[in-house]
Amino acid sequence: MPRPPTVPFKDVAVTEARRRRRPRTAGKPVEEILATTLNIPQYMIATEEQAQKIHEVSLRILSEAGIAFYDEVALATLREAGAKVDDDQVVRFDPEMVEAALDLAPPEFDHKSRNSEKTVTYGGNNIVLAPVAGPPYVMDADGGRREGLYADLVNFVKMANATPYLHNQGTEICVTADIPFHERALDINYAHIRWGDKPMMGHYPIGLTARDSVEMARILHGADRVASEHFLMAVINVSSPRRLDDRMLGTIRAYAGANQAVCLTPFILAGAMGPAAILGTVAQANAEVLGALVYAQLVNPGTPCIYGPFLATLDLQSGSPVFGSAESLLAQSLCGQMAKRYDMPFRAAGTYVSSKVTDMQAGYEAVLAMLPSMLTKPNFVLHAAGWLENGLTTGYEKFALDLELCGVLLTLAQGVSWDEEEWALDSLINEVPPGGHHLGTEHTMNRFRTAFHRTPLFDHDSFAQWEADGSKDATTRASSSWKALLERYEDPGLDDAIDAELQEFMDRRRTEIDPAEFQ
Amino acid sequence: MPRPPTVPFKDVAVTEARRRRRPRTAGKPVEEILATTLNIPQYMIATEEQAQKIHEVSLRILSEAGIAFYDEVALATLREAGAKVDDDQVVRFDPEMVEAALDLAPPEFDHKSRNSEKTVTYGGNNIVLAPVAGPPYVMDADGGRREGLYADLVNFVKMANATPYLHNQGTEICVTADIPFHERALDINYAHIRWGDKPMMGHYPIGLTARDSVEMARILHGADRVASEHFLMAVINVSSPRRLDDRMLGTIRAYAGANQAVCLTPFILAGAMGPAAILGTVAQANAEVLGALVYAQLVNPGTPCIYGPFLATLDLQSGSPVFGSAESLLAQSLCGQMAKRYDMPFRAAGTYVSSKVTDMQAGYEAVLAMLPSMLTKPNFVLHAAGWLENGLTTGYEKFALDLELCGVLLTLAQGVSWDEEEWALDSLINEVPPGGHHLGTEHTMNRFRTAFHRTPLFDHDSFAQWEADGSKDATTRASSSWKALLERYEDPGLDDAIDAELQEFMDRRRTEIDPAEFQ
């Protein structure tokens, strides 16, 4: 039987679609990519009854076992508010106290910067991505792994500002080993203020630094605005199990007291700081979030709080932490459901990897951790780009590659458009015959540039073309990509008077701060 | 204030948990990993009304635009059954005909092998993973990319049998370039029969080869059993848009006619073989599945059919196919919902990558494609391991790495256990104090080996340990891993009389088959 001529799609594509040779930069307009809405439904793995059980077990942990607050100021506040405080600094909470705090926490809040167009919102259908925070090392393909320096931090602040895929420029994107420990907050804050104009977090390892961050925000935005709007956000690490130390409590007081936001983050490696079980770990994390929430709301009723547990598992046989394990993803999904139940903004996992280099394992791990996050409908994803080696290294190539991944995940989060034209009914029924193609239809031509999100850093060429281009693997291409991103960066400038005031403040504080405060 | 002593988790883990140094092989018992059940809920992104709309648009496509069947035998059958057939071989279907076919398709069926313990089930909560199918090239870290040979196929059949993470040993895991085209089905089938005892698919590019596959199954299992049970499964590629050619129709006739299973697979690059839109592409794919289903059910009412579209997008500006794009994942999710609605087993995406090598891009892409698949609750995942370069290369290292990924995803698919002991209530409330740890609890000790799934091929060591072990990236480790997997392979043997009968059949067919049949 004669077979009708087939139209090899690739040839057609080359003829009709490849107007320009490999246009690596075109794609959707940046405004569309910047859209920080989540239109997909939240993936729910627990029933209402199961979520209720998690809530009840957490309340039992809070009322029977309690949370330790290693800080007399916090204990006094909690005692005064009616919590039971024992001699070991362990605080037990009645359910009513927890419910009252939940009632006070806003379901949604804005996070602002000096550029009013870059305000982001946490809560509802909004998602905000921020770069990795905290690694002592940096790594790039040219220089390998080395201590992070101030110049690296500035590079990452610039890249976080130059990319459309991050919406919050973060905090200590890498440690600045060339700056004395007690002065780092000043310089980190200054780097973010001077080189960026997206919302920033400040630096907040202890109350003292958090207060300096607030002071610098006041210089930048004015004390009045800082009193009524949110320009900073601190991640409050609960030292699981069930412990808040004076550092983190001091930061809560500094930030919440100044009307700035906090993300309440129990860090649990299940099997070590939590049980070797999903449900027990979730119940503990939930209790820890609620305990910290009570204190934040006592410091300042209405403090914007994010429900932000960081869950991973311990490989019980080797003692290594495992990020993006199946069990931690399931636990995170349950936490997302609890945050929804409490009507609190939710923070979920970024591109966590254990891998030391930007290899295939790093690719697997990054998506394993962050894709399920997107399905929890998170409002905040810290560590969305750059994380290597269990969070001990910020990778330049990893940063560039993760940004491309973020673009894919943000596109996924846009969900399906149900507009009538998405059916392409006329093409399907009248225009394209069996064995024909849709490349030349009016419908396709109308959305030639916008139909599908593009990922220029990912190679989709033929093997021959890829070989002709130098057989470059993803890391090699990413090495060029982050340099190009740095070149695309545009300096937002900074008012001279503000700059001078910041310098004056920093000069004064460098002499005032006692390094012993950080012991 | 004095801070209570903290217990660095890593040190505790080393002391209490690291009984043996880096036990790379231990973990959950294989039986648990082999469990092919999906206990997580299906992720639904459309409402009932939206799914109904997809169904209705598909019915319009089938009744107004139709599907071309380029095969006179099929056209005669369809005409006789009441379908409208026009002069261009385009067949239009009334909704009633579609509904009748849906009523006949079984919601669940078994796929058997010569080892009754390895029977798998498609449908319900069951998931079956199979290796990549069809690449002309193979690649490994030692020899680079080259044509696939029969020895490679045998290697992959052995590895598919040796791993606990694949449940169906597949078909042409790589092309066997050293065997004449018209004889390949014989040798591919023989390789699967001789070296494997998991369910196999047979080889089925045209009706003639599919019939030989059935004959060889009859020699192996007996004609009676093949008549009443399912030992083979063919993937039927619809040549989208809306076209089934004589090759695929011949295969449907050979397999369905012999009571073997078919997976109905429109292959659509949205923007080329389907509209540049998610909804239009899904409506077309759904119509194509239903059109093929009608024919399969006419050939043999009750034929086990899998709903199995393969959706990707075309980069409209470069002409390259993009697998695992956000848009194709959303489209797949909608298809999963349609399969559920029709109560048909569903086939979803495997570890598709465009990358030419096992680099970070390949890692990203593999999880981007396959993790969302798991959330559609698929019953069958072809190409779950080994796929490189848009399906043109079977990678040895990719195969090993993907297997480790499959283990993680199968663990994820197990969902959360809500057994009472998962709460670890006694540890949480009574045993572990604030700042303590769960490593030494009875609860943890009881599940020391089984609590969390292990991934020995993924590195979770410290940087120093990783460096001391040779700074091996994932590809380097995978090169050892697949060789170790091959060594672990155990020959299931084959009855001499059956072997002799198979050899006799193959010898005869080698002289009978006319290579011109494949033109």
Side-chain angles (χ1 to χ4, degrees):
Chain A
M1 178 183 316
R3 185 170 300 109
T6 59
V7 184
F9 66 83
K10 185 79 185 185
D11 292 349
V12 172
V14 169
T15 310
E16 301 199 17
R18 205 176 261 196
R19 298 277 169 88
R20 287 192 295 147
R21 181 78 192 86
R22 308 175 62 233
R24 285 247 182 252
T25 52
K28 288 201 181 189
V30 165
E31 311 86 78
E32 285 189 50
I33 296 165
L34 274 169
T36 59
T37 51
L38 284 155
N39 300 314
I40 49 174
Q42 187 172 355
Y43 182 52
M44 303 286 210
I45 62 171
T47 63
E48 281 295 312
E49 293 69 31
Q50 288 168 334
Q52 173 66 19
K53 180 77 191 278
I54 293 171
H55 177 64
E56 286 165 9
V57 172
S58 303
L59 290 183
R60 268 195 69 188
I61 294 170
L62 286 168
S63 64
E64 296 179 31
I67 308 276
F69 284 72
Y70 295 132
D71 177 281
E72 289 304 328
V73 181
L75 289 171
T77 304
L78 287 157
R79 202 179 284 114
E80 193 182 336
K84 291 179 273 297
V85 180
D86 74 10
D87 292 344
D88 290 338
Q89 304 178 303
V90 173
V91 180
R92 291 180 173 77
F93 302 88
D94 285 337
E96 294 70 29
M97 207 166 177
V98 174
E99 296 293 348
L102 283 168
D103 284 345
L104 287 168
E108 193 170 305
F109 64 90
D110 286 348
H111 185 183
K112 297 188 177 176
S113 70
R114 61 186 170 111
N115 183 338
S116 63
E117 289 178 7
K118 297 190 176 176
T119 297
V120 296
T121 305
Y122 304 86
N125 284 338
N126 301 287
I127 180 165
V128 176
L129 307 188
V132 65
Y137 301 101
V138 298
M139 176 183 269
D140 67 68
D142 306 317
R145 179 175 176 270
R146 54 194 164 78
E147 277 190 322
L149 304 177
Y150 185 73
D152 293 304
L153 176 73
V154 170
N155 279 343
F156 284 113
V157 168
K158 288 179 175 177
M159 289 194 284
N161 272 274
T163 176
Y165 299 128
L166 299 177
H167 320 99
N168 168 331
Q169 68 193 41
T171 172
E172 192 178 23
I173 310 179
C174 65
V175 168
T176 52
D178 49 345
I179 295 174
F181 193 88
H182 65 287
E183 296 181 27
R184 284 183 193 164
L186 305 171
D187 293 288
I188 291 171
N189 283 323
Y190 183 75
H192 279 279
I193 291 171
R194 171 63 192 87
W195 303 108
D197 69 350
K198 290 183 178 179
M200 58 181 271
M201 300 173 73
H203 195 235
Y204 42 75
I206 65 175
L208 177 152
T209 51
R211 286 193 299 276
D212 280 346
S213 297
V214 170
E215 279 311 311
M216 291 177 79
R218 286 176 178 144
I219 293 170
L220 179 61
H221 306 291
D224 285 358
R225 287 195 67 195
V226 173
S228 60
E229 300 167 74
H230 317 304
F231 293 98
L232 301 174
M233 180 206 292
V235 172
I236 304 299
N237 269 116
V238 180
S239 303
S240 302
R242 299 167 25 237
R243 180 176 53 166
L244 277 153
D245 64 20
D246 57 333
R247 302 175 184 219
M248 287 290 99
L249 291 166
T251 296
I252 292 182
R253 264 199 304 284
Y255 267 46
N259 192 38
Q260 303 306 302
V262 287
C263 175
L264 307 171
T265 299
F267 172 70
I268 305 183
L269 289 177
M273 295 98 98
I278 293 171
L279 293 185
T281 296
V282 169
Q284 178 186 315
N286 193 55
E288 291 171 346
V289 169
L290 294 176
L293 175 74
V294 169
Y295 182 60
Q297 295 303 325
L298 286 175
V299 169
N300 184 11
T303 291
C305 293
I306 292 179
Y307 185 116
F310 187 125
L311 307 177
T313 48
L314 188 77
D315 182 330
L316 288 163
Q317 294 179 56
S318 74
S320 301
V322 179
F323 300 96
S325 65
E327 296 85 359
S328 64
L329 300 175
L330 292 164
Q332 174 178 266
S333 182
L334 292 174
C335 287
Q337 219 168 321
M338 297 313 291
K340 177 86 171 175
R341 182 195 159 99
Y342 298 142
D343 205 6
M344 282 180 70
F346 183 61
R347 173 242 175 138
T351 53
Y352 308 157
V353 310
S354 289
S355 189
K356 313 301 171 281
V357 287
T358 50
D359 63 353
M360 182 133 169
Q361 175 182 334
Y364 280 140
E365 291 181 305
V367 190
L368 276 172
M370 190 158 159
L371 198 158
S373 282
M374 299 304 273
L375 305 183
T376 65
K377 289 199 86 165
N379 304 107
F380 182 43
V381 176
L382 187 62
H383 311 302
W387 169 301
L388 267 179
E389 196 203 330
N390 294 339
L392 293 176
T393 294
T394 303
Y396 276 86
E397 284 77 25
K398 175 75 162 38
F399 196 89
L401 286 158
D402 284 342
L403 292 180
E404 202 72 311
L405 173 66
C406 287
V408 176
L409 296 178
L410 288 171
T411 306
L412 184 68
Q414 300 309 301
V416 176
S417 165
W418 291 86
D419 291 349
E420 197 57 32
E421 68 174 21
E422 299 297 321
W423 295 99
L425 259 188
D426 199 49
S427 307
L428 283 175
I429 294 184
N430 303 317
E431 196 173 350
V432 179
H437 64 80
H438 287 257
L439 279 162
T441 65
E442 195 185 335
H443 185 272
T444 300
M445 286 299 156
N446 283 342
R447 44 178 65 198
F448 187 67
R449 293 201 175 280
T450 57
F452 304 128
H453 175 69
R454 303 198 74 211
T455 49
L457 182 50
F458 297 163
D459 166 65
H460 299 289
D461 283 330
S462 68
F463 190 89
Q465 183 65 53
W466 176 77
E467 227 175 9
D469 287 346
S471 304
K472 292 176 186 156
D473 69 5
T475 305
T476 306
R477 297 193 305 272
S479 175
S480 306
S481 176
W482 69 257
K483 291 163 192 163
L485 184 63
L486 259 185
E487 274 183 29
R488 287 203 299 281
Y489 163 80
E490 289 175 21
D491 183 354
L494 183 63
D495 180 89
D496 285 342
I498 289 175
D499 202 350
E501 200 178 340
L502 287 167
Q503 298 295 348
E504 193 180 41
F505 174 79
M506 292 194 290
D507 289 345
R508 175 166 61 80
R509 291 297 290 153
R510 285 186 210 280
T511 63
E512 288 173 355
I513 301 171
D514 177 4
E517 295 269 4
F518 293 85
Q519 302 292 299
Chain B
M1 177 183 318
R3 186 169 300 109
T6 58
V7 184
F9 66 85
K10 185 77 187 187
D11 292 348
V12 172
V14 168
T15 310
E16 302 200 18
R18 207 177 259 196
R19 300 277 167 87
R20 286 192 295 148
R21 180 78 194 91
R22 306 175 64 234
R24 284 248 184 253
T25 53
K28 288 201 180 187
V30 166
E31 312 86 79
E32 285 188 51
I33 296 165
L34 274 170
T36 60
T37 51
L38 283 156
N39 300 315
I40 49 173
Q42 186 172 355
Y43 183 51
M44 303 286 210
I45 62 170
T47 63
E48 280 295 311
E49 294 69 32
Q50 288 168 335
Q52 173 67 17
K53 179 76 190 278
I54 293 171
H55 177 65
E56 285 166 9
V57 172
S58 302
L59 290 183
R60 268 195 69 187
I61 294 170
L62 286 168
S63 66
E64 295 179 32
I67 308 274
F69 284 72
Y70 295 134
D71 176 283
E72 288 306 328
V73 182
L75 288 171
T77 304
L78 287 157
R79 201 179 284 113
E80 195 182 335
K84 291 179 273 296
V85 181
D86 74 9
D87 292 343
D88 289 339
Q89 304 178 302
V90 173
V91 180
R92 291 180 174 78
F93 301 88
D94 285 339
E96 294 70 29
M97 208 166 177
V98 175
E99 297 292 348
L102 283 168
D103 285 345
L104 289 168
E108 193 171 305
F109 64 91
D110 286 348
H111 185 184
K112 298 188 175 175
S113 70
R114 61 187 170 110
N115 182 339
S116 63
E117 290 179 7
K118 297 191 177 176
T119 297
V120 296
T121 304
Y122 304 86
N125 283 340
N126 301 286
I127 181 165
V128 176
L129 306 188
V132 65
Y137 301 100
V138 297
M139 175 184 269
D140 67 69
D142 305 318
R145 179 175 176 269
R146 55 194 164 76
E147 276 191 323
L149 303 177
Y150 185 74
D152 293 304
L153 177 73
V154 171
N155 278 343
F156 285 112
V157 168
K158 289 179 175 176
M159 289 195 282
N161 272 274
T163 177
Y165 299 128
L166 299 177
H167 320 99
N168 168 332
Q169 67 193 39
T171 170
E172 193 178 24
I173 310 179
C174 64
V175 168
T176 52
D178 49 345
I179 295 174
F181 193 88
H182 65 287
E183 296 182 27
R184 284 182 193 167
L186 305 170
D187 294 289
I188 291 170
N189 284 323
Y190 183 76
H192 279 279
I193 292 171
R194 173 63 192 86
W195 303 107
D197 68 350
K198 290 183 178 179
M200 58 182 271
M201 299 174 74
H203 195 235
Y204 42 75
I206 65 175
L208 177 152
T209 50
R211 287 193 299 276
D212 280 346
S213 296
V214 171
E215 279 311 312
M216 292 176 78
R218 286 176 177 144
I219 293 170
L220 178 61
H221 306 291
D224 285 358
R225 287 196 67 195
V226 173
S228 61
E229 299 168 78
H230 317 304
F231 294 98
L232 301 174
M233 181 206 294
V235 172
I236 304 299
N237 270 115
V238 180
S239 303
S240 302
R242 298 163 31 232
R243 180 176 54 166
L244 278 153
D245 65 21
D246 58 334
R247 303 174 184 218
M248 287 290 99
L249 291 166
T251 296
I252 291 182
R253 265 200 303 285
Y255 267 45
N259 192 38
Q260 302 307 301
V262 287
C263 175
L264 307 171
T265 299
F267 173 71
I268 305 183
L269 290 177
M273 297 97 100
I278 294 171
L279 293 185
T281 295
V282 170
Q284 178 186 315
N286 193 55
E288 290 171 346
V289 169
L290 295 176
L293 175 73
V294 169
Y295 182 60
Q297 295 303 325
L298 286 175
V299 168
N300 184 12
T303 291
C305 293
I306 291 179
Y307 185 115
F310 187 126
L311 306 177
T313 48
L314 189 76
D315 181 329
L316 288 162
Q317 293 179 58
S318 73
S320 301
V322 180
F323 300 96
S325 65
E327 297 85 0
S328 64
L329 300 174
L330 292 164
Q332 175 178 267
S333 181
L334 292 174
C335 286
Q337 219 168 321
M338 297 312 292
K340 177 86 170 175
R341 183 195 158 99
Y342 298 142
D343 206 5
M344 284 180 70
F346 183 60
R347 172 243 175 138
T351 53
Y352 308 157
V353 309
S354 289
S355 189
K356 314 299 172 282
V357 287
T358 50
D359 63 354
M360 181 132 170
Q361 176 182 334
Y364 280 141
E365 291 181 305
V367 189
L368 276 172
M370 192 159 157
L371 197 158
S373 283
M374 299 304 273
L375 305 183
T376 66
K377 288 200 87 164
N379 304 105
F380 182 44
V381 176
L382 187 61
H383 312 302
W387 168 302
L388 267 179
E389 195 202 331
N390 294 338
L392 294 175
T393 293
T394 303
Y396 276 85
E397 285 76 25
K398 175 75 162 39
F399 196 88
L401 285 158
D402 284 341
L403 292 180
E404 202 73 312
L405 173 67
C406 287
V408 176
L409 296 178
L410 288 171
T411 306
L412 184 68
Q414 300 309 300
V416 176
S417 165
W418 291 86
D419 291 349
E420 198 58 31
E421 68 172 21
E422 299 298 322
W423 295 99
L425 258 188
D426 199 49
S427 307
L428 283 176
I429 293 183
N430 302 317
E431 195 172 351
V432 179
H437 63 79
H438 287 256
L439 279 161
T441 65
E442 194 186 337
H443 185 272
T444 300
M445 286 299 156
N446 283 343
R447 44 179 64 200
F448 188 67
R449 294 203 174 279
T450 58
F452 304 127
H453 175 69
R454 303 199 73 213
T455 49
L457 182 49
F458 297 163
D459 166 65
H460 298 290
D461 282 330
S462 68
F463 190 89
Q465 184 65 54
W466 175 78
E467 227 175 8
D469 286 347
S471 303
K472 292 175 187 158
D473 70 5
T475 304
T476 305
R477 297 193 304 272
S479 175
S480 306
S481 176
W482 68 257
K483 289 163 193 163
L485 184 64
L486 259 185
E487 274 182 28
R488 286 203 298 282
Y489 164 81
E490 289 175 21
D491 183 353
L494 184 63
D495 179 90
D496 285 344
I498 288 175
D499 202 350
E501 200 177 338
L502 286 168
Q503 297 294 348
E504 192 180 44
F505 173 79
M506 292 193 291
D507 289 346
R508 175 164 62 78
R509 291 297 290 154
R510 286 187 210 280
T511 64
E512 288 173 354
I513 300 170
D514 177 3
E517 296 268 2
F518 292 84
Q519 303 292 299

